[in-house]
Amino acid sequence: ARQIGVLQGCAIYCRAAKIYNASILLSTSPNTMDNTLMNDGVLEALAFKLGNEEYGIKILQVQEIRGYESVTRIASAPEHVKGVVNLRGTIVPIVDMRIKFKLGEPTYNQFTVVIILNIQDRVVGMVVDSVSDVISLTADQIKPAPDMGALNTDYVVGLGTVDDRMLILVDIDRLMSSAEMGLIDNKLAA
């Protein structure tokens, strides 16, 4: 069963790698979706699940997808930072998004994957429940994120709809470089 989850991740990664070189640009500002989607007005997003919800991030920020493996815990790290792994000589911090988004106690199974991201020339791993596919969204399929009042939704740039599916589109660059994450120097992120 573990192999099936990893193989599914590998198949998605291979598809993502083909799209990786496409020239897609998504410009965002807090809680709005700028309509400067390039590549014929299409956003290619990697869809993943956290709990019962489906999220999407720009495929261009995905370096690779790996099965979950144990991490080396770092003392005094925030709860959502699970630890670090050595990825071909690069020490990569691993963030569990279920803990970060307060989605209950995480469980790790054969479908749990780590999405390796390249954020401002820094490699970061993001643990998610599963990765489903790469979705193409046109500008008319992307709606602005609703104002949630006191909730901090600065990293939510919109909602993508495809058939009966709704993806919460996340500006993963903004989220991972936020002060509360503590992963990337804010001077560089500003």
Side-chain angles (χ1 to χ4, degrees):
R2 171 86 174 132
Q3 283 184 316
I4 292 171
V6 172
L7 290 176
Q8 287 173 337
C10 290
I12 293 167
Y13 172 69
C14 290
R15 182 169 177 216
K18 290 177 186 173
I19 297 169
Y20 187 82
N21 290 323
S23 59
I24 302 163
L25 173 63
L26 171 62
S27 298
T28 60
S29 58
N31 293 328
T32 62
M33 177 63 70
D34 189 330
N35 286 329
T36 56
L37 297 174
M38 303 308 275
N39 196 19
D40 297 327
V42 176
L43 166 69
E44 298 286 346
L46 178 66
F48 61 91
K49 285 200 138 203
L50 290 172
N52 294 325
E53 303 304 324
E54 200 166 14
Y55 294 80
I57 58 174
K58 287 190 305 182
I59 194 66
L60 288 178
Q61 293 175 293
V62 176
Q63 181 174 310
E64 66 182 276
I65 299 169
R66 305 173 54 88
Y68 181 79
E69 56 190 58
S70 62
V71 298
T72 301
R73 188 83 176 132
I74 302 296
S76 301
E79 184 182 2
H80 60 271
V81 178
K82 295 301 293 179
V84 296
V85 296
N86 184 342
L87 181 63
R88 294 181 293 282
T90 302
I91 303 302
V92 179
I94 304 296
V95 176
D96 193 318
M97 298 309 289
R98 294 169 291 189
I99 296 171
K100 173 64 185 144
F101 290 159
K102 296 178 175 69
L103 296 174
E105 190 66 30
T107 56
Y108 303 96
N109 59 34
Q110 71 270 18
F111 298 109
T112 305
V113 295
V114 178
I115 301 171
I116 304 296
L117 304 165
N118 194 328
I119 307 290
Q120 299 177 19
D121 296 323
R122 173 109 191 253
V123 180
V124 177
M126 177 174 82
V127 180
V128 299
D129 290 330
S130 64
V131 172
S132 52
D133 54 357
V134 176
I135 295 178
S136 298
L137 295 168
T138 60
D140 62 329
Q141 292 174 303
I142 301 171
K143 307 300 179 212
D147 182 11
M148 301 296 284
L151 288 175
N152 181 4
T153 56
D154 287 347
Y155 54 84
V156 176
V157 294
L159 300 171
T161 56
V162 178
D163 301 323
D164 292 337
R165 295 168 68 182
M166 183 175 292
L167 274 71
I168 300 167
L169 300 174
V170 176
D171 183 341
I172 201 66
D173 195 12
R174 176 174 299 197
L175 176 63
M176 290 297 182
S177 61
S178 68
E180 64 187 62
M181 292 296 274
L183 296 173
I184 297 172
D185 186 359
N186 287 331
K187 294 175 196 145
L188 296 176

